Amino acid sequence: ALSGGEVPFTFVGDDCGLGSASPRGGSFPWCQLCNPGSYAPRRAMVACLLCPKGFYAAQDGSEACSACPAEQSTPGTGAAAADECVPFCTRGTYSAEGADTAPCWPCPQGTYAPEAGMGACLPCEAGQGTFPPSDGVGAASCREECHAGYVGQGGLEPCTICEPGTISATAGASECTVCPLGKFTGGAGNSVCLDCPDTCELALLGDGADDQAFRETCCVA
C-alpha cells in the first residue's frame, strides 16, 4: 500500500528507505511512502506490509505498527487508526467468526470460555456442567455436578443435601424425591429408599389407623 507521497529519507545507495517501498525492485527514484495501515520495516522493499491483526499504523511512511491496548484487537489486518482497536469478547463469550473481537456470542450450556478474546468455547469435562447463558454471557468456568443424595440448581454446585425421607438417585439432580409409602431412608443424603421393617408392616396390619399416618410414626424417615 503506497501513498505516492514524497519520500524524505536519506537512502543507502539506491535502496528505498524504511517506511517506503517501490514495486520496481525497491529502489530509488520510484520509492513511495507506505499508506496508513501498512509499514516497511526494511530497506529496499518492493511492497509495504499490512499491519497484522491487533496492530495499526496511523501515519504515512510507518516503519512499524503500534500495538492495540491490552485485551483489545482489530477486526482484521491493515488497521489505519487507533480507534480500530476494539475490546476482546469477554470471558464466557466467543467470536463466531473465530476472531477475538465483536460480534460476540455467549457460550452454550455445557461449554465455557475462561479467557477474554476466545474464538471458541471449550467443552466441560465429564461430571461437570454450566448454567444456561444469561444476559448474553455464558460461563467462564465449569461447575461440578451434585453427587447422588444432593441437589442443586441445574444439578450443579453449590449443592444441598436431601433431607431424611427424600433421595436423589443420580448425580446432577435438581430436586429431591420423597420416598413412597412404606419406604424410608434412615438419614439424610441418600440415593435409595429402603423398605420399612417387617415389624412395622405387621403392626400396621393389626391397627385400623390410616395407612400413611401410621407408617410415618412406625417407619421413621
Side-chain angles (χ1 to χ4, degrees):
L2 301 174
S3 68
E6 180 181 353
V7 183
F9 296 116
T10 300
F11 298 102
V12 176
D14 293 330
D15 292 342
C16 293
L18 303 179
S20 66
S22 168
R24 299 186 180 184
S27 59
F28 187 79
W30 299 283
C31 303
Q32 295 180 338
L33 293 174
C34 297
N35 284 330
S38 64
Y39 70 112
R42 300 181 302 276
R43 297 180 181 277
M45 293 189 65
V46 297
C48 299
L49 306 175
L50 291 177
C51 291
K53 181 174 171 60
F55 292 80
Y56 66 95
Q59 306 295 329
D60 287 332
S62 294
E63 301 174 12
C65 301
S66 301
C68 290
E71 295 197 356
Q72 292 189 16
S73 187
T74 57
T77 61
D83 60 10
E84 293 187 50
C85 296
V86 293
F88 283 164
C89 291
T90 61
R91 298 171 67 224
T93 68
Y94 71 103
S95 171
E97 297 180 357
D100 47 19
T101 57
C104 306
W105 279 264
C107 291
Q109 188 173 10
T111 66
Y112 70 108
E115 299 177 0
M118 294 190 65
C121 300
L122 307 175
C124 293
E125 296 181 1
Q128 296 181 337
T130 65
F131 296 141
S134 176
D135 296 328
V137 179
S141 62
C142 296
R143 295 172 179 262
E144 295 291 333
E145 286 185 344
C146 296
H147 298 300
Y150 294 78
V151 294
Q153 180 184 347
L156 303 174
E157 62 183 4
C159 306
T160 303
I161 192 170
C162 289
E163 297 179 354
T166 67
I167 65 167
S168 65
T170 61
S174 57
E175 294 183 353
C176 299
T177 303
V178 177
C179 290
L181 189 64
K183 302 280 188 178
F184 79 115
T185 60
N190 285 276
S191 59
V192 294
C193 295
L194 306 175
D195 291 329
C196 290
D198 291 340
T199 54
C200 183
E201 298 292 335
L202 292 173
L204 177 60
L205 293 175
D207 191 286
D210 175 78
D211 288 356
Q212 183 172 357
F214 189 84
R215 287 172 190 267
E216 287 177 352
T217 57
C218 180
C219 184
V220 181

